[in-house]
Amino acid sequence: MDMKIISSNIRFDSKEDGQNCWATRRVLLADVSKSFSPGIIASQEGKEDQLRDFLALLPGFEIADQHRSWIKARMYPCIFYRSSIFSCLKSGDIWLSETPHKPGSKSFGSPFPRLCTWAKMQHLETQTVFFLLNTHLDHLKGPTRLNQIKVLLQEAEKIDIDAHPLILTGDFNEGPSEGVYQTIMQSFLKVYDPWIELNKVEETSYHRFNRNFKNGKRIDWILCSKAFKAIDIYLEKTDQFPVFPSDHYPVCAHLKLKENS
């Protein structure tokens, strides 16, 4: 099973973004995403109306939201999948708080509710089942992010994921030398980082709509279990300057499921 997957913080719809507001860049983001021919797009940020607008620009895709009662005020990480390649068998949300099953809940000093969306996916041709976790952590404090990832891991362990290949995507809002990354790598998920595996040079994935922004880190990751072989991974930097698809570069990965996995 070959899989092309994008993880992309699509930036919420903000009038303060001026020439890079959603109305200006929505088609560009969709076109850049489709140019990679992904089977799955894992997005972060965006409220329901924006996410459904994005979906309308992705012919052949569906969104894994059958489990969800949307809260208009909230932003959601979402999983878009090409329905001719994959089906979603089951999905759910984990709110990264002390009450992870209470929609819209927040804890640990986070100014906004944060969550993880998960989906049990099936590749239609091979009938292979795998899990996808997609999350977005707090943007301000390391201890808050660390508590949030611990909730994600605790709740994920309750889902039947250990018997299946797994992919973890998201905007983690810190670099791979920090606590969240280390916690994930030492967890039961047993994932690895294709970026490191393929000896890619560290880059900033968050650019603030600025080609020359150099002070960031690689805060957007696609991690996967060893059942997947990493073929390629990179940051997609196409723009129509001064308009960018988002204030993050999409992460594009080509993975292949190993035989007998």
Side-chain angles (χ1 to χ4, degrees):
M1 179 184 76
D2 264 14
M3 175 190 301
K4 288 187 174 183
I5 180 170
I6 294 175
S7 180
S8 181
N9 182 316
I10 67 171
R11 174 67 177 172
F12 69 94
D13 185 0
S14 172
K15 294 180 180 179
E16 295 181 0
D17 287 339
Q19 63 190 0
N20 278 293
C21 69
W22 176 247
T24 302
R25 59 187 177 80
R26 54 191 285 278
V27 173
L28 175 59
L29 176 63
D31 288 347
V32 166
S33 300
K34 289 183 289 188
S35 69
F36 184 60
S37 300
I40 291 176
I41 300 172
S43 72
Q44 301 86 41
E45 289 198 21
K47 298 179 182 178
E48 181 183 12
D49 289 348
Q50 180 185 5
L51 292 162
R52 295 207 181 281
D53 183 36
F54 187 42
L55 178 63
L57 297 171
L58 301 171
F61 279 79
E62 296 184 16
I63 187 169
D65 68 339
Q66 299 88 345
H67 63 278
R68 178 180 294 152
S69 295
W70 291 82
I71 302 172
K72 288 293 184 181
R74 297 275 62 86
M75 292 185 287
Y76 289 84
C78 283
I79 296 168
F80 300 86
Y81 62 96
R82 196 179 296 275
S83 57
S84 61
I85 301 177
F86 301 104
S87 64
C88 179
L89 303 179
K90 192 174 182 180
S91 60
D93 288 332
I94 301 168
W95 294 86
L96 304 180
S97 72
E98 294 173 325
T99 53
H101 302 293
K102 181 180 179 181
S105 59
K106 62 179 182 176
S107 302
F108 317 122
S110 180
F112 306 110
R114 300 288 188 171
L115 71 152
C116 168
T117 295
W118 62 268
K120 184 178 184 180
M121 305 296 298
Q122 185 171 50
H123 184 247
L124 296 176
E125 182 179 352
T126 64
Q127 298 295 295
T128 301
V129 174
F130 64 96
F131 273 90
L132 177 61
L133 307 176
N134 180 33
T135 194
H136 188 187
L137 303 187
D138 181 70
H139 64 299
L140 293 178
K141 299 177 182 178
T144 299
R145 292 189 289 270
L146 196 56
N147 278 309
Q148 290 173 340
I149 202 65
K150 288 178 180 178
V151 171
L152 187 158
L153 293 169
Q154 289 166 4
E155 293 301 312
E157 197 165 12
K158 299 174 185 178
I159 305 168
D160 179 28
I161 64 176
D162 56 347
H164 299 282
L166 177 121
I167 301 171
L168 171 60
T169 64
D171 173 1
F172 296 85
N173 269 312
E174 64 180 46
S177 64
E178 299 174 75
V180 166
Y181 187 93
Q182 303 306 318
T183 299
I184 293 170
M185 291 304 175
Q186 294 167 10
S187 75
F188 80 99
L189 292 182
K190 297 180 181 179
V191 293
Y192 75 96
D193 186 348
W195 196 275
I196 301 298
E197 182 76 8
L198 296 174
N199 296 310
K200 298 284 185 172
V201 175
E202 288 296 327
E203 300 183 65
T204 176
S205 58
Y206 172 56
H207 56 78
R208 297 184 178 177
F209 300 119
N210 179 357
R211 281 178 175 172
N212 299 314
F213 184 70
K214 302 297 183 183
N215 296 324
K217 305 172 184 177
R218 182 169 62 93
I219 65 175
D220 303 275
W221 314 331
I222 296 176
L223 311 177
C224 60
S225 60
K226 293 180 181 179
F228 290 101
K229 178 182 179 181
I231 307 300
D232 194 15
I233 189 168
Y234 63 92
L235 299 180
E236 176 53 69
K237 297 183 179 180
T238 299
D239 62 47
Q240 292 180 351
F241 189 80
V243 177
F244 293 80
S246 180
D247 61 344
H248 291 238
Y249 293 122
V251 186
C252 302
H254 180 188
L255 307 174
K256 185 173 183 179
L257 190 70
K258 298 176 182 176
E259 293 184 10
N260 302 318
S261 295

